[in-house]
Amino acid sequence: MAGFARQAVAACGPPSPVRARSLLWACARLGSFGEGVGLEPVPEVLLHPSVIERFVMAGLGEAPETRRRTVRTNLRHVARYAAPAMSAPGPPPLARQRAKAPYSPAEIAAFLALADAQPTAGRRHRLGALICAGAGAGLTGADLRHVRGSDVVRRHGGVVIVVADGAARVVPVLAPFHARLLDAAGFAGEGFIVGGRRPDRRNVTAGLVASVAGGSDLPRLELGRLRATWVATCATHLGLRAFFDAAGVSHSAHIADVVASLPPPEETEAVRLLGGG
Amino acid sequence: MSGRLRWAEAVLDAADVAAPIEARLPTGGRPRQLSVRTLLVGMLLAAADGRPAHLVRVHRALVGLAVADRRRLGVEVQWRRGRHTLTYRQVERTFGLVVGVLDATGGDGAPSEELAALTDELCEASVPTEWKEATTALAVDWSDLETWALAPRSDGVSADRDASWGRRGPTTIFGGRDELFFGYHPQVATMVREEHGPPVPELVRRVLLTSCKVDPPPAFVAVLERMATAGVAIGDVLADSGYAHRVASRWALPLRRLGARLVVDLHPSDRGPKGTHAGAVIANGNCYCPATPPALLTLTPPAPRAGAADLAAHDAKTAEAARYKLGRISAPDADGFHRVSCPALAHKLRCPLRPASMNLPFDRPEVTEPPPEPPRCCVQQTVTVPPEVNAKTAQAHDYPSAAHRASYARRTGSERAFSTIKDSATTDIGRGWCRVMGLTAITLFFVCAVVARNERVHAAFQVRQAENERRAAAGLPPKTRRRRRRTIGDLVASAAPP
């Protein structure tokens, strides 16, 4: 195995001893795996893409994902030099979708003003409910489709929206949106707060969004950005930026794993934390 | 009546072997005092008592019985001149007559049909009824039994005309070599537990004693055939490479025809790739994909004292080899044909020749260099395998996988069977144990020793089971043998001054 590892790593000429040691470790482990499954210890066999993939999936035991990624990257790098005929070009990288930018408070106020300027009461209330539920409770289109007027209720000193279908949950509404959302809910009654008659209807928000589009001073109204606005407001209230900075992390994947193991909070506590303004 | 005498008579009556022999003995003249049944009772008593297989010991066993039993069995009779007790001469006389009736070997070194039937019946009668159908698995093996006669002189003549030169295994652990001996090959079929079944008493169900000039495996096939004909189901047959190495028509094929599932150790000459069938590589009893890495086709069993890490590595390789095996998709038909299919079709590996298999996850091995001209097994959905392919080496489990190792471990039951009749503390069939000569005479004593051994093993098994049940009721684990290995630490501790 040592011979294979040395031969393969020598072919790619690592720039530093540290890099060489890392590549040698990966190749040696690959060689041991290959020996265990009866493969010939030559680069053309062991550095075949399928062998590398199998080694990364099945040959690294309980290794963490980060190590698997590193080992695969290193082995692919070695394969490009030691077995060039084996390494096919990978798929072109595609841009990763980022979180949408939140609206500013002024933009939200402008959207609410536009809603108030709608010609009919029904449209005023429906558009107001859309903006308030999006920016005040972070509901998406799939959530909004099922929310009726009766689902908006006062509880624990705040206002919550009871989402019954899909990702069922109770969402506290930010305080600045309470009055307008309660008005809209009272107007809808047992009907859907954003309009329509059937819960499986499609494009329920498209008409409402179109009614506030066309101006050049305001960006287009998007539910995704409304939700991002709610997320940003809550994060500010909770001090998440300070927490992330203190934890030294830049993304929430690991934090989410930890949070998932915590006991769910009481609704009262959720309203206290997220129902402020 | 003593318990041992009751047992001996029960076995003989269940076997019902005495009366047919008695009927064939010469009659007329003065009535013979010693009946065949009493003679056999004496032989069983002598064997059960751990005495050597000498006629004088048989005589002593009979005359040592209680008075009532002596009179009932005809050991002590009332003559005109008074009471007469059986003499050694009479024992020798009756034994000689019995041997004469059963002895029809014709010099071929194999027992006569009558003698074979007698040994079968006696062995079967020694298996208690409740255990007769407890298992269908048998461990078979042969060993050596040296005759009391001296080896032939320069003229080739020996006092024991049925015995011949044989070869037995090394007598020492380290570097021992085979050695020659003059005598017979005893073979036993020992009951062992089913593969995943509960423990059973390891009782010897069939024995065969042949001259060393007779090839043991084919001779024992006839014994197993008689056994199957008698209605005894034969399942797993566990045997070492001495049996497995025989030409298929002389061991493996006849047993498969009986419905046996072979679990054998392959002889080194039979391991590894042995040609191809429809392009598939024939190796170790299976057909493998032509792109199987060569190292996986030449696997050998792990060393007897291999550690856990070595075993794990070995099992990983055999599991990898199984991924390349052409899987069975049908049981053998009446003619022994069965069908297998490509492992890529069975979703065991990825192969460019089977495009659908390339959608399988990467945790399967991939055939990186398929044959440029795909053989039949790579283009057809299934391939028919005739019985002559892997005729000698096909068996229940992939060789030498972990499943095979676990199943084959039961074969040591036959080794234990021989060890219990070569035990100097009880019955030791070493040279001098039996001083009568000839295949028939020695077979009679040998089968009596095996029957007595069965009784001993069964009694010990019952005691052990009762103890285990008692321990289980008390919440204790089953009793295991105490580890007798002494470590360096033990030796250092024992060498410390008091």
Side-chain angles (χ1 to χ4, degrees), chain A residues 35-38 48 50 53-54, chain B residues 293 317 320 362-363 365-366 368:
Chain A
E35 186 191 24
V37 296
H48 192 278
S50 68
E53 290 300 324
R54 190 172 178 221
Chain B
K317 282 185 183 174
E320 184 73 9
F362 277 109
D363 60 354
E366 180 174 326
T368 54

Side-chain angles (χ1 to χ4, degrees), chain B residues 356-377:
Chain B
S357 70
M358 296 303 282
N359 294 328
L360 294 170
F362 277 109
D363 60 354
R364 272 84 161 169
E366 180 174 326
V367 176
T368 54
E369 291 183 12
E373 293 181 10
R376 204 148 54 85
C377 69

Side-chain angles (χ1 to χ4, degrees), chain B residues 150-165 182 213:
Chain B
L150 291 174
R153 297 186 300 267
S154 57
D155 58 0
V157 177
S158 168
D160 191 340
R161 293 179 181 274
D162 293 329
S164 60
W165 286 105
F182 188 68
K213 64 188 176 190

Side-chain angles (χ1 to χ4, degrees), chain B residues 214-245:
Chain B
V214 175
D215 191 19
F220 207 64
V221 166
V223 175
L224 295 176
E225 284 174 344
R226 284 201 305 272
M227 188 172 162
T229 306
V232 179
I234 298 179
D236 293 352
V237 173
L238 303 112
D240 61 17
S241 60
Y243 288 85
H245 189 43

Side-chain angles (χ1 to χ4, degrees), chain B residues 154-362:
Chain B
S154 57
D155 58 0
V157 177
S158 168
D160 191 340
R161 293 179 181 274
D162 293 329
S164 60
W165 286 105
R167 185 180 292 275
R168 59 185 166 195
T171 52
T172 56
I173 298 173
F174 302 109
R177 296 177 59 188
D178 286 4
E179 65 172 1
L180 292 175
F181 73 98
F182 188 68
Y184 301 89
H185 278 315
Q187 293 186 76
V188 297
T190 309
M191 293 166 53
V192 291
R193 64 174 175 82
E194 295 288 359
E195 206 161 83
H196 303 292
V200 296
E202 291 177 343
L203 305 177
V204 172
R205 198 137 190 189
R206 289 293 184 274
V207 298
L208 177 67
L209 192 74
T210 52
S211 170
C212 292
K213 64 188 176 190
V214 175
D215 191 19
F220 207 64
V221 166
V223 175
L224 295 176
E225 284 174 344
R226 284 201 305 272
M227 188 172 162
T229 306
V232 179
I234 298 179
D236 293 352
V237 173
L238 303 112
D240 61 17
S241 60
Y243 288 85
H245 189 43
R246 279 351 192 230
V247 175
S249 59
R250 305 192 70 184
W251 173 252
L253 290 175
L255 287 193
R256 274 192 211 114
R257 192 174 54 189
L258 293 178
R261 256 178 24 132
L262 294 179
V263 181
V264 294
D265 183 24
L266 297 186
H267 190 276
S269 303
D270 293 331
R271 298 172 189 164
K274 299 289 173 195
T276 61
H277 171 69
V281 182
I282 299 169
N284 294 341
N286 286 310
C287 293
Y288 287 90
C289 166
T292 306
L296 297 180
L297 298 174
T298 53
L299 293 174
T300 55
R305 296 181 188 276
D310 292 337
L311 285 178
H314 177 270
D315 294 344
K317 282 185 183 174
T318 54
E320 184 73 9
R323 288 181 177 274
Y324 291 89
K325 187 182 73 173
L326 271 66
R328 276 176 181 256
I329 58 169
S330 74
D333 62 15
D335 297 327
F337 288 74
H338 68 275
R339 297 183 75 76
V340 295
S341 77
C342 165
L345 291 177
H347 298 179
K348 292 197 290 186
L349 55 81
R350 296 154 48 89
C351 177
L353 296 178
R354 308 286 189 183
S357 70
M358 296 303 282
N359 294 328
L360 294 170
F362 277 109

